[in-house]
Amino acid sequence: MTLIDDKSINTTPISSLGEFGLIERLTKDFKCENKSTIKGIGDDCAVFKGAKNYKLLSTDMLVEGVHFDLSYTPLKHLGFKAVAVNVSDICAMNGRTSQLTISIAVSNRFSVEALDELYSGIKLACKEYSIDLVGGDTTSSLSGLVISVSVLGEVDPKKITYRDGAKVNDLLVVTGDLGAAYFGLQLLKREKEIFKENPNVQPDLSGHDYALNRQLKPEAPVKYLKILEELSITPTSMIDISDGLSSEALHISKASNVGVSLQENKIPIDYTIMNLASEFNLNPIAYALSGGEDYELLFSINQKDYDKLKKDPDFTIVGYVTDISVGNNFIATDGSIHPLTAQGWDGMKEQ
Ligand code: ADP
Ligand code: MG
């Protein structure tokens, strides 16, 4: 085998493409040939034709040291989270979950009891989201724990929400509030550092339940879909907020070929997170835009649906959709307009 040493193979660093550039490059020559494939790569789930409904499939991998740190993540919480983040992708298509497979790679550092704990969290999530665990794979790992989860779901073809359906003049709406998971993580990291310096100091995480829960035990945004159904609203486009509001808004912009404008003074942040952000001396808006792991939904609605949800505190209008020529903008509270970037907005550098 000389593949690796072959001088004819260029060695472009992956970092020069980034995650999305890499996915695009690796998958660009794959075309879907089967009639039953409705949507392949490029949305929160793949979509297939079922007997009556569309079937949905989403898969995600969590790697120890990259996505989680077991020194402050209880295994039960990790199991729950691994399922919930996949359910969140099914929610982003306006679907319901049905089945799940779990594959794990485990090093001999883990005991049977530790894996029991992991699976007790998985079981809890299966119960909460009405999912059947139907399979998976188990193998060994030389370093740490890897968890790969695939979730199946289904959706009425009339109600499916893709990233590419946003129309000019639609309103952009988010569920719940943003930034909490990021600040939960900062708290856990801070206490870990203190503990490393002085193991006799007990972690002081009191009074921060909301931020910690949002980081350690995120809920998939299932309840909001029920409310939208009751209000007879089908979003024109939808995505789950796993990488921060600005990155997700840019995905909708790109897929729908429209511009998006986000308004700083509308972005919902819990008051406990405002306090925590000032404790860390960080701008909470910046981390609502780019922090990630909130697992809320960002969706667009036709203006005619505005009256139906305007009084519901579960939903906040955070901006609007424009013609693509307007570009993607962040409108600061002082009225100044900045280009929206995946990291937030350009003014962030001056914060
Ligand atoms: P999400 O954040 O919603 O989980 P991702 O950003 O991970 O979605 O992926 C974007 C799209 O690219 C999805 O359609 C996903 O299935 C696809 N994708 C990601 N990684 C790969 C890969 N290695 N090979 C093929 N498709 C991939
Ligand atoms: Mg997603």
Side-chain angles (χ1 to χ4, degrees):
M1 290 283 277
T2 54
L3 266 180
I4 300 298
D5 296 329
D6 189 337
K7 297 289 183 291
S8 68
I9 295 178
N10 292 324
T11 49
T12 310
I14 291 171
S15 58
S16 68
L17 294 179
E19 180 189 345
F20 300 122
L22 178 68
I23 296 171
E24 231 169 277
R25 177 181 167 125
L26 296 178
T27 60
K28 67 178 185 311
D29 296 329
F30 289 80
K31 300 275 172 293
C32 296
E33 306 275 346
N34 291 290
K35 273 208 186 112
S36 53
T37 309
I38 306 278
K39 176 88 191 176
I41 293 162
D43 217 303
D44 292 289
C45 292
V47 184
F48 319 98
K49 222 174 242 166
K52 185 162 150 264
N53 284 334
Y54 280 173
K55 299 283 180 196
L56 302 168
L57 172 64
S58 163
T59 189
D60 259 309
M61 188 150 55
L62 297 178
V63 178
E64 184 177 353
V66 179
H67 300 103
F68 58 88
D69 180 335
L70 287 175
S71 61
Y72 51 71
T73 310
L75 280 160
K76 185 173 179 180
H77 287 64
L78 181 63
F80 188 95
K81 183 170 176 173
V83 177
V85 302
N86 275 272
V87 176
S88 173
D89 278 318
I90 300 280
C91 290
M93 311 302 287
N94 208 10
R96 275 167 214 282
T97 45
S98 46
Q99 288 88 12
L100 169 88
T101 63
I102 306 251
S103 301
I104 50 172
V106 202
S107 72
N108 58 11
R109 178 161 63 83
F110 291 84
S111 65
V112 173
E113 287 74 15
L115 296 177
D116 279 345
E117 269 299 290
L118 180 74
Y119 269 68
S120 70
I122 291 170
K123 194 168 168 198
L124 199 62
C126 284
K127 190 154 183 274
E128 180 157 337
Y129 301 118
S130 307
I131 316 177
D132 301 331
L133 175 63
V134 295
D137 196 21
T138 304
T139 186
S140 54
S141 143
L142 293 181
S143 61
L145 176 65
V146 179
I147 310 168
S148 172
V149 180
S150 295
V151 178
L152 276 167
E154 58 185 296
V155 59
D156 178 344
K158 290 202 251 359
K159 298 205 171 141
I160 190 165
T161 51
Y162 295 106
R163 294 177 181 182
D164 66 6
K167 300 279 181 298
V168 175
N169 294 330
D170 280 356
L171 300 172
L172 291 170
V173 186
V174 297
T175 61
D177 56 74
L178 300 174
Y182 174 84
F183 284 100
L185 183 61
Q186 299 319 303
L187 271 174
L188 291 164
K189 283 183 171 168
R190 182 177 74 183
E191 294 308 315
K192 181 180 175 180
E193 285 311 309
I194 294 171
F195 182 76
K196 267 188 355 201
E197 272 165 33
N198 186 352
N200 296 321
V201 178
Q202 284 302 305
D204 179 18
L205 295 166
S206 55
H208 296 302
D209 293 1
Y210 186 64
L212 293 169
N213 264 323
R214 295 277 287 174
Q215 169 56 223
L216 293 175
K217 194 172 174 285
E219 294 284 341
V222 175
K223 66 175 181 182
Y224 301 115
L225 299 188
K226 290 207 184 96
I227 303 173
L228 286 175
E229 191 167 22
E230 281 159 21
L231 296 173
S232 302
I233 295 174
T234 302
T236 54
S237 70
M238 187 144 68
I239 187 168
D240 70 327
I241 306 179
S242 49
D243 295 334
L245 176 61
S246 49
S247 169
E248 315 303 355
L250 293 176
H251 281 311
I252 287 189
S253 148
K254 190 171 178 210
S256 301
N257 209 23
V258 293
V260 291
S261 286
L262 297 179
Q263 293 163 284
E264 178 175 15
N265 59 355
K266 300 284 173 61
I267 294 172
I269 295 172
D270 188 81
Y271 75 96
T272 60
I273 303 306
M274 298 293 264
N275 294 340
L276 199 49
S278 64
E279 202 182 298
F280 277 101
N281 209 9
L282 294 172
N283 178 349
I285 296 287
Y287 296 96
L289 286 173
S290 68
E293 294 203 290
D294 285 315
Y295 300 106
E296 297 290 350
L297 295 168
L298 167 67
F299 58 90
S300 54
I301 55 165
N302 188 295
Q303 285 199 23
K304 74 173 168 41
D305 286 330
Y306 171 65
D307 281 340
K308 295 188 208 163
L309 62 61
K310 69 177 179 198
K311 291 213 182 77
D312 192 322
D314 293 303
F315 303 109
T316 311
I317 315 281
V318 290
Y320 47 88
V321 179
T322 65
D323 189 83
I324 192 167
S325 60
V326 180
N328 299 311
N329 295 307
F330 176 76
I331 304 167
T333 305
D334 65 7
S336 58
I337 299 177
H338 310 262
L340 187 71
T341 67
Q343 288 72 41
W345 73 103
D346 58 353
M348 239 173 100
K349 295 186 201 92
E350 297 141 27
Q351 304 291 314

